[in-house]
Amino acid sequence: MSRVKSNLQESITLIIFPTIILIAFLFYIYYKVMLVKSRDPLQQAYMNSKAKTFLGIFVFFFGINQYLYYETRLSLFIGIVFLVLGALQFRLGVKSTRHYRSEYSKHRA
């Protein structure tokens, strides 16, 4: 089933989503490395929560990208699973980031 895509859809599929995926993956790796370097348990928990946030972004946009690239029924189902898992991971990461940020500001004061 080959259909003609518009230029906007092609640019989103070929440029924007892979860029977001790459940036999110790099930030995930960055925060995981910073987690290992840190000795403070509170800072480690904060870095881990930031890593979870970027992992969620990575998985979410990877699911979208895979469906737009293949456009099959199987990729739709797998993409939906990735969307749900990515959204849950992002939500948990944001919640724990807020929590540990407030705890870190209380600890510093």
Side-chain angles (χ1 to χ4, degrees), residues 80-92:
I80 289 172
V81 169
F82 275 39
L83 289 175
V84 170
L85 291 175
L88 289 174
Q89 189 74 17
F90 177 76
R91 184 172 181 258
L92 290 173

Side-chain angles (χ1 to χ4, degrees), residues 27-53:
F27 273 112
Y28 171 73
I29 296 296
Y30 171 76
Y31 282 115
K32 281 298 187 179
V33 169
M34 294 304 291
L35 173 84
V36 173
K37 286 185 176 184
S38 176
R39 297 287 180 230
D40 181 24
L42 187 58
Q43 189 174 12
Q44 286 179 343
Y46 178 71
M47 293 294 176
N48 196 29
S49 64
K50 294 289 278 188
K52 284 181 185 180
T53 302

Side-chain angles (χ1 to χ4, degrees), residues 51-104:
K52 284 181 185 180
T53 302
F54 285 107
L55 180 64
I57 293 170
F58 169 75
V59 171
F60 184 84
F61 282 103
F62 187 79
I64 292 173
N65 190 47
Q66 288 306 301
Y67 174 67
L68 291 177
Y69 184 73
Y70 291 111
E71 293 182 355
T72 63
R73 184 173 289 177
L74 178 63
S75 68
L76 174 65
F77 294 138
I78 293 171
I80 289 172
V81 169
F82 275 39
L83 289 175
V84 170
L85 291 175
L88 289 174
Q89 189 74 17
F90 177 76
R91 184 172 181 258
L92 290 173
V94 168
K95 284 177 69 175
S96 61
T97 299
R98 286 182 188 158
H99 170 72
Y100 288 118
R101 185 182 301 143
S102 67
E103 290 296 319
Y104 192 69

